[in-house]
């Protein structure tokens, strides 16, 4: 891009060395308010043209000091309003005002009685009070320079000729009749009144429209602030000042304005010579913007070929002199916006270098072809065509289009050949050539068809073609106009055609595969397609609209509508039901027993009363059974008296003088109605009359009859019946139950306790007589506790049956325990025996065997370890247990020794896991870590002869063959049986 040059247009004279231009930026040094203030524009130009920037205004902010040094006193009555003038000094830039009362930093605070105008700087006091007397100083701040100056103080004094009476509001601070507000800016209008009492200030729109939410009415008071001003905020506003003596108003209009904003801009354009140009420039704004056009920084006026009107620039018969940079300037009194565009005018001879004719163009015989000719030339000239060396003549099949392209319709074999496009204008001539080839058309030989197939079968859809052998074929299949991606779709579709066939196979056809299949064949010159409709027959679809028409206690009448039969008539319907108590859906009995395919109603029988049912229907045809319908709405069968009695009626036990009767509750689905309960009938064995009691809970499983006259362990005949809201049901069978028995009346004797180890105590006693009297013994209860504990904290262990000893495990070593024994039965435990004590043995050694070493020799494993020494509070080591096993999950074998070494005669062809534990009278101690002895290969297997003179024999792992000799003595006297060991 050519280098840009910048310079500035300045309305003031340029002083040497004051202005420095650097890369388009203007730097002004030694600023002078009188000399440098003004309007600036930047001009940028290069070989393509010149553009001008928008105007920039340079002004200087300043503020001088107040000129007067003393101000006269302001004398007012109490209750009177007063205005203290600020009179700011000469300045440039926005100001803010505040007032000091008497001395800094005591500033006047604004409220409903005092107001400081940010327009004039004056201080307004609506009603003077004695506390207001003092000196007031106006403070002015320049918001640009941040400088601050103070005016001379103004004394405020009270007059002595009385207090001012009440009077109506007098508005002293008014906003202009019209205030022009820029779009998106914040506007503030002021209104304040003097009066006694102090007037209140309120605001309203004269058109009655309420203030938008962006206006904070609570903050309004003397200033109405409207942020982000928009068109809808325009209108007349009224300030109302009122007190008890009257009211006064002032009105003003807020007018909306907006600087121009471009919404349509001219774009860079390249045009051939003698062409025409139209550029349009549009902008929004209020007032409506006006337009002007500039070329290379100079204003354009309408003249012959060039017309400028309302943002529209048109140039006819473009010339090279029209090349340049153009600018649209839209403006109103609130500003201007610029838009730039470049115009290039081209004049060139025909040129095919960028757009050669296609070297080869193919068309099928009988088809249409378009050969494009797109040379670059300006202005556009004439186009002609040649075939071979002869000029091509147009006919009803051959035509040269306005854009120079050649169209041949219904192509024939003689149309093939070399074609040349010739372009010319006043600047020259050029040509480009390409060959047209006419190919044989592609024809699908497979006729359209409708195919019929059953779910689960496979089918081949054919697509056979004839075509020009020089062209490659591409087959594409569509299912219901959606492309089939082979390899997806669950592997159902597979290509099976050859070079000239696009056949596909559909495997394991499903109902969803029914539809329209299209085979599309494409070559470089043509494309054709053929469609086949595939009908898939399958099980019926689910029936719909399942309704329960009528329901009784055991039957339900159903109706439904048929689903799709999937091209095979429905032969039967099956009805299933589900309840909250069933395991899923169950087939039900219907009337008729077989529901034919033409029936759409049936009655379900043998239902349970007072149960919520859901029903669904399945349809079947010659192919199979389809998916079930959606469930019907839940329907409850009607109530009836119960028919099922409780199961497993039994009882017994309980406290003295009680008869305890238990049963299994009847399931809810068999209760047949609400208000379900039980009737318990009982009588002493052999009596004639029955006593009855009602149990009104469906979940009850127990009834207790208590009467002091009941003898312990007395037999009763018992039966349990049922009832519900519809009436009583049957009683169950009569069974015999015994009343509660008494606790054993005697205590066990000959109590002995002996410590077996640090964690085990053996307790023995003499058993009480074992009989079926009224004080039966079902077993014994052992209670034991440590010496330092109380008996209430004793642990309990029970035996069952007529045992006379038991082992207590899990006790602690070197501790004294107390033990008692009681007999018990269903009524509880009897009297305790005498208390005996026993001291447990010392704990076993806590240290495991260390330095365990092993070796193998002649099919033996030799183990050695260090002796374990017991601690002072541990029992002495009396020996060691060697535990060994062939795999991690088998039960270990044990060998005991009282030395620190052992030899194990074990075959070496397997892996072994070994641990060693010390033991003493306190029990087994801690185990050594597990050692693994690996299998040692290379051990030869030997033949083994087993003389079977007893029932105990073993074929060892080191035996290759085992020979069993059947004999009764040590001599051979019978047949031998040989078998190979299963390794």
């Amino acid at each position: 891009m050519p280098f840009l040059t910048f310079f500035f247009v300045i309305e003031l004279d340029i002083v040497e060395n004051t202005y420095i231009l650097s890369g388009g930026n203007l730097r002004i040094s030694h600023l002078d308010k009188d000399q440098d203030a003004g309007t600036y524009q930047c001009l940028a130009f290069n070989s393509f043209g010149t553009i001008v920037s928008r105007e920039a205004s340079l002004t200087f902010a300043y503020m001088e000091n107040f000129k007067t040094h003393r101000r006269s006193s302001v004398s007012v009555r109490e209750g009177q309003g007063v205005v203290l003038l600020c009179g700011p000094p000469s300045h440039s830039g926005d100001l803010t005002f505040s007032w000091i009362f008497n001395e800094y930093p005591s500033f006047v605070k604004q409220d409903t009685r005092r107001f400081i105008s940010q327009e004039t700087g004056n201080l307004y006091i609506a009603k003077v009070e004695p506390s207001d007397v003092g000196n007031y100083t106006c403070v002015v701040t320049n918001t640009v320079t941040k400088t601050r100056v103070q005016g001379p103080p103004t004394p405020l004094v009270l007059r002595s000729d009385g207090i001012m009476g009440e009077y109506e509001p007098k508005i002293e601070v008014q906003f202009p009749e019209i205030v022009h507000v820029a779009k998106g800016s914040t506007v503030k209008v002021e209104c304040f009144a003097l009066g006694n009492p102090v007037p209140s200030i309120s605001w309203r729109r004269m058109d009655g429209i309420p203030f938008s939410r962006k206006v904070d009415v609570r903050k309004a008071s003397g200033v109405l602030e409207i942020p982000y001003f928009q068109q809808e905020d325009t209108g007349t506003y009224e300030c109302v000042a009122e007190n008890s003596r009257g009211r006064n108003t002032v009105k003003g209009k807020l007018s909306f304005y907006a600087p121009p904003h471009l919404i349509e801009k001219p774009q860079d354009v390249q045009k051939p010579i003698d062409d025409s140009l139209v550029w349009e420039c549009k902008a929004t704004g209020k007032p409506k913007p006006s337009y002007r056009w500039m070329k290379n920084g100079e204003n354009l006026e309408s003249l012959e070929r060039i017309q400028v009107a309302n943002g529209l620039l048109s140039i006819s018969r473009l010339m090279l002199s029209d090349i340049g940079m153009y600018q649209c300037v839209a403006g109103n009194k609130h500003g201007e916006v610029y838009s730039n565009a470049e115009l290039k005018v081209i004049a060139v001879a025909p040129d095919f270098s960028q757009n050669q004719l296609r070297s080869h163009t193919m068309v099928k015989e009988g088809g249409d072809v378009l050969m494009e000719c797109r040379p670059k030339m300006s202005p556009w000239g004439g186009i002609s065509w040649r075939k071979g060396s002869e000029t091509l003549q147009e006919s009803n099949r051959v035509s040269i289009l306005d854009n120079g392209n050649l169209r041949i319709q219904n192509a024939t074999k003689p149309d093939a050949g070399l074609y040349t496009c010739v372009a010319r204008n006043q600047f020259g001539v050029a040509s480009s050539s390409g060959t047209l080839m006419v190919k044989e058309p592609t024809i699908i030989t497979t006729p359209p068809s409708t195919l019929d197939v059953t779910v689960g079968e496979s089918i081949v859809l054919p697509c056979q073609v004839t075509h020009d052998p020089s062209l490659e074929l591409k087959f594409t299949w569509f299912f219901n106009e959606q492309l089939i991606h082979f390899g997806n779709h669950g592997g159902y579709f597979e290509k099976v055609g050859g070079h000239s066939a696009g056949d596909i196979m559909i495997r394991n056809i499903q109902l969803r595969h029914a539809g329209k299949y299209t085979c599309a064949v494409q070559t470089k010159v043509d494309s054709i397609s053929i469609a086949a409709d595939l009908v898939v027959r399958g099980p019926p679809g689910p029936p719909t609209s399942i309704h329960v028409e009528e329901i009784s206690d055991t039957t339900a009448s159903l109706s439904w509508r048929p689903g799709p039969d999937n091209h095979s008539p429905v032969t039967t319907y099956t009805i299933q039901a589900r309840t909250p108590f069933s395991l899923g859906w169950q087939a039900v009995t219907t009337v008729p027993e077989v529901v034919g395919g033409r029936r759409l109603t049936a009655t379900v029988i043998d239902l349970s009363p007072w149960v919520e049912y859901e029903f669904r229907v399945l349809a079947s045809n010659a192919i199979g059974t389809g998916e079930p319908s959606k469930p019907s709405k839940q329907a409850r069968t009607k109530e009836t008296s119960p028919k099922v009695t409780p199961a497993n009626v039994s009882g017994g036990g309980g406290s003295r003088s009680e008869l305890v009767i238990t049963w299994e509750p009847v399931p809810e689905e068999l209760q047949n109605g609400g208000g379900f309960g039980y009737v318990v009938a009982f009588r002493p064995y052999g009596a004639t009359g029955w006593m009855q009691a009602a149990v009104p809970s469906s979940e009850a499983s127990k009834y207790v009859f208590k009467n002091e006259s009941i003898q312990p362990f007395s037999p009763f005949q018992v039966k349990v019946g049922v009832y519900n809201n519809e009436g009583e049901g049957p009683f169950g069978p009569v069974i015999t139950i015994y009343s509660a028995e008494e606790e054993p009346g005697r205590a066990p004797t000959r109590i002995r306790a002996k410590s077996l180890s640090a964690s085990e105590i053996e307790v023995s006693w003499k058993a009480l007589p074992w009989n079926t009297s009224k004080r039966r013994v079902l077993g014994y209860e052992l209670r034991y506790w440590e010496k330092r504990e109380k008996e209430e904290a004793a642990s309990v262990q029970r035996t069952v049956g007529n045992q006379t000893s038991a082992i207590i495990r899990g006790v602690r070593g070197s501790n004294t325990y107390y033990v008692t024994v009681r007999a018990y039965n269903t009524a509880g435990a009897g009297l305790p025996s005498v208390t005996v004590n026993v001291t447990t043995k010392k704990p076993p050694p806590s240290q495991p065997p260390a330095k365990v070493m092993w070796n193998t020799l002649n099919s033996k494993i030799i183990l050695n370890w260090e002796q374990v020494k017991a601690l002072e509070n541990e029992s002495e080591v009396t020996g060691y247990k060697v535990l060994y096993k062939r795999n991690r999950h088998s039960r270990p074998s044990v060998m005991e020794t009282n030395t620190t070494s052992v030899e194990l005669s074990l075959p070496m062809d397997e892996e072994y896991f070994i641990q060693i534990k010390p033991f003493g009278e306190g029990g087994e101690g801690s185990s050594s870590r597990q050692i693994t002895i690996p299998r040692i290969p290379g051990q030869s297997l030997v033949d083994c002869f087993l003389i079977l003179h007893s029932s105990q024999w073993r074929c060892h792992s080191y035996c290759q063959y085992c020979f069993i000799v059947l004999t009764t003595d040590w001599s051979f006297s019978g047949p031998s049986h040989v078998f190979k060991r299963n390794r």
Side-chain angles (χ1 to χ4, degrees):
M1 180 178 178
F3 183 74
L4 283 171
T5 303
F6 301 90
F7 70 89
F8 278 79
V9 177
I10 309 171
E11 292 184 350
L12 300 177
D13 294 334
I14 297 179
V15 179
E16 189 175 358
N17 299 327
T18 300
Y19 300 99
I20 300 174
L21 189 61
S22 174
N25 297 325
L26 177 63
R27 179 178 179 182
I28 307 175
S29 58
H30 310 297
L31 282 169
D32 182 273
K33 179 178 70 173
D34 297 325
Q35 178 177 325
D36 296 325
T39 302
Y40 293 75
Q41 272 188 295
C42 174
L43 277 72
F45 60 92
N46 60 15
S47 59
F48 294 116
T50 302
I51 56 173
V52 181
S53 74
R54 64 180 180 176
E55 294 181 347
S57 179
L58 175 61
T59 59
F60 289 83
Y62 69 92
M63 186 167 59
E64 298 179 354
N65 289 318
F66 283 87
K67 293 183 178 179
T68 58
H69 299 289
R70 287 191 66 173
R71 291 191 177 180
S72 302
S73 298
V74 177
S75 180
V76 295
R77 292 180 182 175
E78 181 182 348
Q80 184 180 357
V82 68
V83 180
L84 301 182
L85 304 179
C86 178
S90 177
H91 66 276
S92 175
D94 293 336
L95 303 179
T96 60
F97 301 92
S98 58
W99 285 77
I100 296 174
F101 179 54
N102 287 331
E103 60 182 21
Y104 181 84
S106 176
F107 285 92
V108 175
K109 293 183 179 180
Q110 298 187 77
D111 50 28
T112 57
R113 196 171 62 85
R114 293 171 293 191
F115 179 75
I116 299 172
S117 171
Q118 296 303 314
E119 296 291 336
T120 63
N122 298 338
L123 170 62
Y124 299 83
I125 303 177
K127 173 189 172 186
V128 174
E129 296 178 354
S131 60
D132 294 326
V133 173
N135 291 322
Y136 289 82
T137 303
C138 180
V139 180
V140 185
T141 303
N142 190 308
T143 59
V144 181
T145 64
K146 307 302 181 185
T147 56
R148 175 185 295 180
V149 295
Q150 296 182 10
T154 301
L156 178 65
V157 297
L158 284 181
R159 290 168 54 176
S160 58
D161 55 351
I163 298 175
M164 184 75 173
E166 294 184 351
Y167 63 96
E168 68 179 12
K170 179 183 178 184
I171 297 179
E172 290 287 344
V173 180
Q174 302 183 11
F175 55 97
E177 290 186 5
I178 298 180
V179 178
H180 298 286
V181 186
K183 176 184 178 181
S185 64
T186 297
V187 61
K188 296 180 181 180
V189 290
E190 298 180 340
C191 179
F192 193 76
L194 310 183
N196 186 8
V198 174
S200 63
I201 304 295
S202 60
W203 299 84
R204 71 185 185 95
R205 291 183 60 154
M206 296 303 293
D207 54 13
I209 298 175
F211 288 116
S212 61
R213 295 168 62 180
K214 65 184 178 180
V215 179
D216 190 349
V217 180
R218 295 173 300 174
K219 294 175 58 178
S221 188
V223 178
L224 175 63
E225 180 177 329
I226 304 176
Y228 196 65
F229 194 84
Q230 298 297 312
Q231 180 74 47
E232 59 267 20
D233 296 320
T234 59
T236 302
Y237 290 75
E238 182 181 56
C239 169
V240 180
E242 58 184 329
N243 62 13
S244 59
R245 304 299 296 181
R247 70 196 298 268
N248 206 344
T249 64
V250 65
K251 300 180 182 66
K253 183 177 181 180
L254 298 184
S255 175
F256 174 86
Y257 78 84
H261 173 71
L262 286 169
I263 58 174
E264 188 171 332
K265 306 175 183 179
Q267 303 295 323
D268 293 344
V269 69
Q270 180 174 291
K271 292 280 189 177
I273 195 168
D274 288 335
D275 202 352
S276 59
L277 166 73
V278 177
W279 263 331
E280 188 172 10
C281 183
K282 287 185 180 179
T284 59
K286 189 174 181 182
K288 185 178 179 180
S290 61
Y291 302 91
R292 59 189 176 92
W293 285 84
M294 302 174 70
K295 177 189 175 186
N296 292 332
E298 301 291 337
N299 286 327
L300 277 176
E301 302 293 340
S302 295
L303 181 64
E304 296 180 354
R305 297 182 305 106
I306 301 174
Q307 295 296 318
V308 179
N310 291 329
L312 200 68
L313 171 63
S314 61
I315 306 176
S316 60
R317 303 189 310 278
L318 286 170
M319 305 171 61
L320 294 177
S321 59
D322 294 324
I323 294 173
M325 296 298 298
Y326 289 78
Q327 289 180 282
C328 169
V329 183
N332 60 18
K333 63 181 181 180
H334 302 295
E336 289 184 334
V337 287
Y338 289 68
S339 178
N340 312 322
E342 180 186 3
L343 171 62
K344 290 183 179 180
V345 179
I346 302 173
V348 294
D351 179 15
F352 281 97
S353 61
Q354 301 298 321
N355 292 295
Q356 295 278 353
L357 256 68
R358 290 178 59 180
S359 59
H360 293 87
T361 300
M362 289 187 290
V363 63
K364 71 175 181 178
E365 188 175 2
D368 297 342
V369 65
L370 182 71
M371 299 183 71
E372 292 186 340
C373 179
R374 297 186 298 162
K376 179 181 179 183
M377 59 178 172
S378 182
W380 187 256
I383 299 290
S384 61
W385 284 82
R386 295 196 309 265
K387 181 185 179 188
S389 59
E390 297 181 1
T391 301
L392 190 64
Q393 300 299 321
E394 294 189 71
S395 67
N396 57 350
R397 290 193 312 110
V398 180
S399 57
I400 300 175
L401 305 181
D402 292 341
N403 59 6
N405 295 339
L406 175 64
R407 170 171 295 182
I408 302 176
Q409 297 174 299
N410 192 18
T412 62
K413 288 287 186 179
D415 291 328
L418 179 68
Y419 287 78
T420 303
C421 174
V422 181
R424 55 171 51 85
N425 66 8
Q426 63 264 41
F427 299 108
V429 180
S431 63
S432 180
S433 299
T435 300
L436 176 64
M437 296 180 289
V438 180
K439 300 291 185 178
E440 293 180 8
T442 305
I443 299 173
I444 297 178
T445 59
T446 306
S449 62
T450 298
L451 303 174
D452 195 311
V453 68
T454 301
V455 166
E457 296 180 348
S458 298
I459 191 172
V460 173
L461 301 182
C463 187
Q464 305 285 330
V465 299
T466 61
H467 66 101
D468 191 303
S470 64
L471 297 176
E472 289 188 2
L473 291 172
K474 179 183 179 182
F475 292 93
T476 307
W477 279 87
F478 298 87
F479 172 47
N480 291 335
E481 300 183 355
Q482 298 295 317
L483 178 66
I484 296 177
H485 296 280
F486 294 92
N488 297 341
H489 304 283
Y492 290 101
F493 298 99
E494 179 184 349
K495 289 184 178 180
V496 295
H499 174 69
S500 296
D503 303 349
I504 64 168
M505 175 180 282
I506 309 175
R507 301 181 184 275
N508 188 22
I509 283 181
Q510 304 298 308
L511 288 172
R512 63 179 180 273
H513 294 144
K516 179 181 179 182
Y517 287 83
T518 304
C519 174
V521 187
Q522 185 177 7
T523 68
K524 288 184 178 181
V525 299
D526 59 359
S527 61
I528 55 175
S529 64
I530 189 172
D533 291 318
L534 182 62
V535 176
V536 179
R537 303 184 187 276
T544 62
S545 304
I546 314 301
H547 289 290
V548 180
E549 304 291 347
E550 187 178 352
I551 193 164
S552 69
D553 56 346
T554 59
T555 65
S557 298
L558 305 182
S559 67
W560 60 88
R561 299 185 66 181
D565 65 4
N566 292 326
H567 308 289
S568 179
V570 175
T571 56
T572 58
Y573 288 100
T574 303
I575 300 176
Q576 296 178 337
R578 178 174 67 181
T579 74
F581 317 107
S582 64
L583 296 175
W585 292 92
Q586 306 289 333
V588 292
T589 306
T590 61
V591 175
E593 186 175 353
V594 177
V595 182
R598 294 186 178 183
R599 289 188 64 95
L600 298 177
T601 61
T603 300
V604 181
I605 61 175
D606 297 337
L607 301 178
S608 296
W610 204 61
V611 171
E612 284 190 336
Y613 279 89
E614 291 177 286
F615 300 95
R616 70 181 187 182
V617 182
L618 297 87
S620 300
N621 59 16
I623 298 171
T625 300
E627 293 293 319
S629 68
K630 292 183 178 179
S632 68
K633 291 183 179 179
Q634 285 188 337
R636 183 184 285 273
T637 50
K638 299 187 182 304
E639 295 180 283
T640 186
S641 57
K643 302 296 188 294
V644 178
T645 59
N648 294 330
V649 178
S650 62
S655 302
R656 185 189 300 270
S657 302
E658 287 184 348
L659 175 63
V660 178
I661 304 168
T662 61
W663 61 89
E664 286 186 7
V666 175
E668 183 180 346
E669 64 268 29
L670 300 178
Q671 294 173 7
N672 290 7
F676 185 85
Y678 302 92
V679 178
V680 181
F682 54 93
R683 65 185 178 187
Y685 195 87
T688 57
W690 291 91
M691 293 179 282
Q692 290 189 355
V695 182
S697 171
S698 62
E699 298 178 357
S701 61
K702 181 179 181 180
Y703 174 73
V704 179
F705 175 68
K706 186 175 180 66
N707 193 297
E708 296 298 330
S709 65
I710 297 178
Q711 295 299 313
F713 209 63
S714 299
F716 280 79
Q717 289 182 306
V718 175
K719 59 181 180 179
V720 181
V722 290
Y723 70 91
N724 63 17
N725 291 337
E726 296 296 313
E728 293 187 4
F731 278 96
V734 177
I735 65 166
T736 300
I737 298 176
Y738 286 85
S739 63
E741 57 187 342
E742 293 181 324
E743 302 90 342
R746 297 169 56 189
T749 58
R750 298 183 186 177
I751 309 302
R752 301 286 185 272
K754 179 175 68 173
S755 174
L756 300 180
S757 67
S759 61
E760 296 177 328
I761 298 173
E762 183 182 45
V763 182
S764 62
W765 58 89
K766 182 181 179 182
L768 295 178
W770 185 266
N771 55 45
T772 57
S773 68
K774 296 180 181 180
R775 295 177 182 267
R776 294 183 304 165
V777 175
L778 298 182
Y780 294 90
E781 179 181 279
L782 284 69
R783 300 173 63 87
Y784 59 96
W785 63 94
E786 290 188 27
K787 182 177 181 180
R788 56 187 177 83
E789 296 177 332
K790 294 183 178 180
E791 184 178 355
E792 289 76 12
S795 300
V796 177
Q797 179 175 315
R798 279 190 169 188
T799 68
V800 178
N802 200 23
Q803 290 183 233
T804 58
S805 65
I807 296 177
I808 299 173
R809 293 181 171 85
V811 294
R812 298 196 299 174
S814 300
N815 269 291
T816 299
Y817 285 84
Y818 294 105
V819 182
T820 64
V821 183
R822 306 176 187 220
Y824 72 88
N825 58 20
T826 59
L831 299 174
S833 69
V834 296
T835 302
V836 297
N837 63 73
V838 60
T839 300
T840 54
K841 298 181 183 297
K842 289 183 179 181
S846 59
Q847 299 298 318
K851 296 184 179 179
V852 179
M853 294 178 292
W854 63 273
N855 197 1
T856 60
L857 180 63
N858 297 329
S859 297
K860 292 183 179 180
I861 299 174
I862 303 172
L863 296 168
N864 292 277
W865 59 89
E866 281 190 350
Q867 182 177 353
V868 176
K869 294 183 179 179
L871 302 178
E872 184 177 351
N873 62 338
E874 296 175 345
S875 58
E876 292 295 329
V877 176
T878 58
Y880 300 89
K881 290 184 178 181
V882 180
L883 294 82
Y884 58 95
K885 55 185 178 180
R886 294 190 179 185
N887 58 67
R888 296 183 184 275
H889 305 293
S890 64
R891 294 178 60 84
S893 301
V894 181
M895 173 183 284
E896 292 188 6
T897 180
N898 55 7
T899 65
T900 58
S901 64
V902 70
E903 290 184 3
L904 300 176
S905 296
L906 298 172
M908 298 308 297
D909 60 338
E910 293 196 29
E911 190 176 51
Y912 289 92
F913 301 95
I914 298 178
Q915 287 179 293
I916 302 170
K917 289 183 180 181
F919 66 87
E921 68 173 5
E924 293 182 0
S926 299
S927 173
S928 69
R929 64 179 179 84
Q930 181 175 277
I931 61 173
T932 302
I933 298 179
R935 176 179 177 274
I936 301 177
Q939 299 283 341
S940 61
L941 300 177
V942 299
D943 294 342
C944 300
F945 290 82
L946 306 177
I947 300 175
L948 188 61
H949 57 84
S950 70
S951 61
Q952 297 181 353
W953 60 276
R954 180 179 179 188
C955 187
H956 291 282
S957 58
Y958 51 80
C959 299
Q960 180 178 11
Y961 289 91
C962 290
F963 295 83
I964 302 176
V965 181
L966 301 180
T967 179
T968 56
D969 54 21
W970 293 103
S971 63
F972 179 81
S973 62
S976 64
H977 297 270
V978 182
F979 67 95
K980 188 172 183 179
R981 187 172 68 87
N982 184 8
R983 298 191 52 78

